[in-house]
Amino acid sequence: NMRSVVTAVFLFMSAISYAIGEAFVSLSADPLLVWNYGIISVLAAIAGVGFWAAHHKLDKEEDKLNFIAESSFKGRRHSFGVSNA
């Protein structure tokens, strides 16, 4: 069931984020929280660069797909004379 797969992925990602949060709880003793926010911002920047590196080619591919000519395919139901009314 696709619903259970999506829920499982959501819960897995939540567990990872909670584990990362627990790892940085000890840094919260600093009254200025410089290290806590600094490390999280550096990790977020690294993740952003990694995401861009993994998906930057998709923008060019999307532009190519947007210029594909429109199809005249009406669907299987239309070819059998079934209307949507």
Side-chain angles (χ1 to χ4, degrees), residues 2 6 8 12 17 24 27 34 39 42 44-45 47-49 55 59 61-62 65-67 71-72 78-79:
M2 190 61 161
V6 170
F12 179 71
S17 66
F24 288 108
L27 294 175
V34 173
I39 291 173
V42 168
V49 170
H55 299 291
D59 191 37
E61 186 177 333
E62 180 186 9
L65 292 175
N66 285 337
F67 291 116
S71 173
S72 63
H78 189 283
S79 64

Side-chain angles (χ1 to χ4, degrees), residues 43-63:
L43 288 175
I46 290 170
V49 170
F51 183 84
W52 178 83
H55 299 291
H56 76 279
K57 294 179 184 176
L58 290 177
D59 191 37
K60 292 178 184 176
E61 186 177 333
E62 180 186 9
D63 288 341

Side-chain angles (χ1 to χ4, degrees), residues 8-85:
V9 169
F10 166 72
L11 291 174
F12 179 71
M13 292 181 72
S14 294
I16 290 175
S17 66
Y18 291 141
I20 291 171
E22 286 294 320
F24 288 108
V25 165
S26 64
L27 294 175
S28 296
D30 182 15
L32 299 178
L33 299 174
V34 173
W35 284 105
N36 195 8
Y37 291 121
I39 291 173
I40 296 297
S41 63
V42 168
L43 288 175
I46 290 170
V49 170
F51 183 84
W52 178 83
H55 299 291
H56 76 279
K57 294 179 184 176
L58 290 177
D59 191 37
K60 292 178 184 176
E61 186 177 333
E62 180 186 9
D63 288 341
K64 289 179 189 174
L65 292 175
N66 285 337
F67 291 116
I68 292 177
E70 190 170 327
S71 173
S72 63
F73 180 70
K74 301 292 184 191
R76 199 170 63 182
R77 297 184 106 201
H78 189 283
S79 64
F80 291 124
V82 178
S83 67
N84 290 335

Side-chain angles (χ1 to χ4, degrees), residues 1 5 9 44:
N1 192 342
V5 171
V9 169

